[in-house]
Amino acid sequence: MHNRHSHRQVHGVINETHTVRRWWRDAVIYQVYVRSFLDSTGDGIGDLAGVRAGLPYLKKLGVDGIWLSPFYPSPQHDHGYDVADYCDVDPLFGDLAEFELLMAAARRLGIKVLLDIVPNHCSSEHPWFQEALASAPGSAARTRFHFADGRGPDGTEPPNNWHSMFGGPAWTRVTEADGRPGQWYLHMFAPEQPDWNWRNPEVGAEFDRVLRFWLDRGIDGFRIDVAAGLYKHPELPDSPDPEADARTRDSVNPLAWNQPEVHEVWRHWRAVCEEYTARDGRERLLVGEVSVPTAREHAQYVRADELHQAFFFDLLGAPWDADAFRKVISEAMQDIAGTGSTVTWVLNNHDQVRTVTRYGEPATEARGCLLDQAGDARSGAHICGVVVGCPCSASTPSSALQPHAPDPAQVGHNAPPPPADLIQKTPPGGLGVARARAAALLMLALPGAAYIYQGEELGLPEVVDLPDDVLTDPIFHRTGSRARIRDGCRVPLPWSGQASPFGFTSGAEGAKPWLPQPEWFAEHATDRALADTRSSWHLYRDGLQLRAALPQLGEGALRWLDTPPGVLAFVRGDDLVCAVNFGTAPTPAPVSGTPLLSSGPCPAGVLPGSTAAWWIADGTTL
């Protein structure tokens, strides 16, 4: 494996004692959804020991770091995004000692570790919220949250008309200590996730403590959940479109999101990170989940003294169309890269329909699409739900990849598969697979950083027909609708074997994954992907190796080439060309000769439909 910067200029800054390498500017980070990655205990839920066991697999894939979904103590109403204690590990996932082992293993392998921090809201079981419930209206404890008197006779109506992103009113009424109905509290997500009041300085001070707790344990940075949140309009007035957030599953309400005061929080957090960097020259990263209307507003979050990076969701939300892709890429390069940051590209995450399915052919008219309902694909932060076809070296055996835990190829074979009538038997594929592979090569060729959601490297499709009785998404339980639910992209990964649990879980006889895996997961298991050089895993691995080895890739600029309709092509450096044919018919390639890498069969001089390729060209001809 090439060192990512071995053939590229190393960008850094010099402080009084250290040269700081700005590793994050072109890093490729792998998102680990912990509960679905690998289970080491046999309870059917992934854990930190499972992540540690999988690190050699990720090193072989070639990523620079991992982002871990929340593993803090939580009642799990939203799978850890309802945090009861920000400075510990939920026993479901391990303990602080196991976290230390994970950090040590990651350091040995040269893998950066980012934690997911949730500053917009906490769990209703957080001690401070429990204190607020036990305290009187107007008390200091209640000012840490948004408590307010209701409107109407006897305060029976919510304080304003806002709706939660997960459906229903954004307010819940409490019962006071004397047993009478009392005030209401604000929750922009589920009732079990009360929003912090960042206008109370105690909240900021508490998060200072949280940041330092984990930075002192050697982490490399934070992914910040709902980074355009935190502050609300100080008067909490009615919204002109109160159901916009619920309708789009996005941060649309201008009174609840993207308030100007939030930028002071990120300036302060950046200063905290810089304090640690000054000690040892190791830069700590802040990357935000920022959902705002335009690339220009997005750029405000990545100014030199704020977040290092923020996910650019517009690429994820773009329909499969050359002009649409070119537009969002150009806007990002102009507005975001212009701040001095680098663009942070994503095609998928734990809130999105998997790429293979999202890019696939339409299979039904019954399911709704956010693009149809909202007429807007501006951020992708919660873009669409179960929408099929929404436009919106030699292999190492898996037995060599798990030195810290049982080999996934050897665990769970005796567990019975889920009932056959519960989940689909035929794996989706076809056009969606080809487009997802092409999109991956496109993303890895773009200037800046890239994030890969677990299972994308396996070409996993969405599991679109989980039965109602196994669904866990609070969106489903609050609305009764399957539209835009997220369980289908969170089904535990298949590692090996021909039947569920596919090596995901070990231990007790009959252990079942927390969500059922379909029979066709066998076609995407890691052991099979490693053995098949045509697999998506090898495409990602080869792309990552070339990205690390070629000085033209990673950070830098791009130059668009003239192309026929339906084709996108650009140059990196003087001579590396990436082209994507968004159509289905072949077209002449923009460069003669055989490509370095392609997402599908690509004869010299031809770029087939739904295919991406990289070439090294004679620079004088471009």
Side-chain angles (χ1 to χ4, degrees):
M1 172 60 63
H2 294 278
N3 180 280
R4 173 160 296 281
H5 294 277
S6 61
H7 293 87
R8 184 179 307 147
Q9 178 183 355
V10 176
H11 293 270
V13 294
I14 299 175
N15 63 23
E16 293 180 359
T17 56
H18 300 283
T19 298
V20 179
R21 185 170 71 79
R22 313 194 78 180
W23 58 270
W24 49 271
R25 296 183 66 84
D26 61 355
V28 178
I29 306 296
Y30 185 96
Q31 181 190 353
V32 175
Y33 194 71
V34 176
R35 64 169 38 238
S36 295
F37 185 71
L38 183 61
D39 169 26
S40 71
T41 63
D43 64 357
I45 297 174
D47 46 50
L48 294 183
V51 176
R52 179 162 57 97
L55 289 178
Y57 163 80
L58 298 176
K59 180 67 175 179
K60 183 176 179 63
L61 182 62
V63 298
D64 298 299
I66 56 174
W67 147 30
L68 299 175
S69 62
F71 52 75
Y72 317 110
S74 165
Q76 302 294 319
H77 291 294
D78 191 23
H79 294 323
Y81 286 91
D82 50 322
V83 181
D85 181 352
Y86 289 85
C87 295
D88 204 351
V89 176
D90 194 304
L92 193 67
F93 303 119
D95 53 27
L96 282 172
E98 178 55 50
F99 175 78
E100 297 288 351
L101 292 174
L102 169 59
M103 287 299 303
R107 288 191 200 101
R108 286 194 299 270
L109 292 170
I111 293 175
K112 306 288 187 183
V113 178
L114 308 181
L115 302 192
D116 205 325
I117 191 167
V118 188
N120 180 74
H121 49 268
C122 65
S123 166
S124 56
E125 296 185 18
H126 191 284
W128 278 13
F129 190 73
Q130 289 295 306
E131 180 186 356
L133 290 177
S135 300
S139 63
R142 289 201 173 182
T143 64
R144 296 167 178 156
F145 302 91
H146 295 279
F147 278 84
D149 295 331
R151 300 190 293 193
D154 301 318
T156 56
E157 299 297 324
N160 67 27
N161 66 353
W162 297 2
H163 277 231
S164 157
M165 193 179 297
F166 286 176
W171 296 89
T172 291
R173 198 173 193 186
V174 304
T175 300
E176 303 294 357
D178 61 6
R180 291 185 296 179
Q183 289 190 306
W184 300 70
Y185 69 89
L186 179 69
H187 50 84
M188 296 306 298
F189 294 91
E192 297 84 3
Q193 296 170 292
D195 280 38
W196 292 107
N197 177 15
W198 274 82
R199 298 186 188 280
N200 184 330
E202 286 186 87
V203 174
E206 173 64 6
F207 275 92
D208 271 16
R209 183 182 74 87
V210 172
L211 294 180
R212 294 179 186 280
F213 179 88
W214 294 109
L215 289 169
D216 287 344
R217 281 157 179 77
I219 69 163
D220 297 286
F222 296 95
R223 177 267 187 187
I224 304 168
D225 188 59
V226 196
L230 284 65
Y231 279 89
K232 279 69 178 171
H233 189 288
E235 298 177 6
L236 300 177
D238 278 348
S239 170
D241 187 2
E243 297 185 13
D245 287 5
R247 185 174 63 250
T248 62
R249 301 284 184 257
D250 203 355
S251 307
V252 177
N253 182 349
L255 304 169
W257 314 107
N258 199 25
Q259 301 298 298
E261 298 92 335
V262 75
H263 295 283
E264 289 303 319
V265 177
W266 307 140
R267 291 187 182 98
H268 177 70
W269 284 27
R270 180 68 173 259
V272 171
C273 288
E274 298 294 350
E275 175 188 326
Y276 280 80
T277 298
R279 297 177 187 175
D280 58 12
R282 186 165 59 86
E283 196 154 21
R284 276 69 167 183
L285 170 65
L286 297 173
V287 57
E289 180 196 32
V290 173
S291 177
V292 289
T294 66
R296 183 165 298 178
E297 289 175 270
H298 185 283
Q300 295 175 1
Y301 285 82
V302 293
R303 290 174 288 198
D305 60 345
E306 296 194 40
L307 303 179
H308 299 80
Q309 293 177 324
F311 297 128
F312 186 67
F313 292 117
D314 293 49
L315 187 69
L316 184 160
W320 184 255
D321 176 82
D323 292 338
F325 269 61
R326 178 165 177 162
K327 179 178 183 292
V328 299
I329 293 168
S330 295
E331 289 177 350
M333 295 301 298
Q334 174 181 327
D335 294 326
I336 298 169
T339 67
S341 180
T342 53
V343 185
T344 306
W345 307 101
V346 291
L347 288 171
N348 200 247
N349 61 38
H350 64 291
D351 289 329
Q352 305 303 322
V353 172
R354 284 199 175 273
T355 313
V356 165
T357 302
R358 201 172 69 245
Y359 289 150
E361 296 177 300
T364 177
E365 299 298 325
R367 295 184 175 97
C369 171
L370 174 59
L371 300 180
D372 295 333
Q373 296 180 28
D376 182 0
R378 63 181 177 79
S379 74
H382 298 278
I383 260 253
C384 63
V386 286
V387 184
V388 178
C390 171
C392 6
S393 76
S395 300
T396 299
S398 57
S399 59
L401 301 180
Q402 310 293 334
H404 302 297
D407 179 356
Q410 301 301 320
V411 298
H413 276 293
N414 295 322
D421 60 338
L422 289 187
I423 45 184
Q424 61 202 78
K425 299 180 180 180
T426 304
L431 193 59
V433 172
R435 289 174 171 176
R437 289 168 61 94
L441 274 198
L442 169 66
M443 180 179 72
L444 293 178
L446 290 171
Y451 280 65
I452 300 168
Y453 178 51
Q454 68 179 37
E456 291 294 287
E457 80 283 8
L458 301 176
L460 278 179
E462 186 88 353
V463 181
V464 299
D465 54 357
L466 291 165
D468 287 357
D469 61 358
V470 304
L471 296 178
T472 65
D473 194 326
I475 294 173
F476 173 74
H477 292 288
R478 277 183 61 78
T479 66
S481 170
R482 300 174 66 96
R484 297 178 296 275
I485 61 173
R486 301 163 296 170
D487 288 302
C489 69
R490 300 175 177 183
V491 175
L493 294 184
W495 289 89
S496 61
Q498 298 298 316
S500 181
F502 298 108
F504 165 74
T505 190
S506 62
E509 181 78 14
K512 294 182 179 180
W514 68 277
L515 282 174
Q517 301 158 305
E519 294 176 6
W520 52 260
F521 259 35
E523 300 297 318
H524 299 273
T526 299
D527 60 349
R528 184 171 297 194
L530 288 168
D532 182 1
T533 58
R534 302 165 300 173
S535 69
S536 292
W537 189 92
H538 279 273
L539 178 70
Y540 271 89
R541 196 277 305 268
D542 292 346
L544 289 168
Q545 284 191 330
L546 285 173
R547 182 179 164 101
L550 295 173
Q552 300 95 322
L553 293 175
E555 189 176 355
L558 63 76
R559 176 168 56 89
W560 295 109
L561 296 177
D562 293 333
T563 56
V567 176
L568 196 67
F570 55 85
V571 182
R572 298 296 316 280
D574 293 329
D575 56 3
L576 190 140
V577 175
C578 172
V580 185
N581 184 351
F582 284 78
T584 56
T587 187
V591 178
S592 61
T594 302
L596 283 174
L597 182 63
S598 62
S599 62
C602 193
V606 176
L607 184 59
S610 305
T611 300
W614 298 353
W615 295 264
I616 295 294
D618 179 353
T620 62
T621 65
L622 296 176

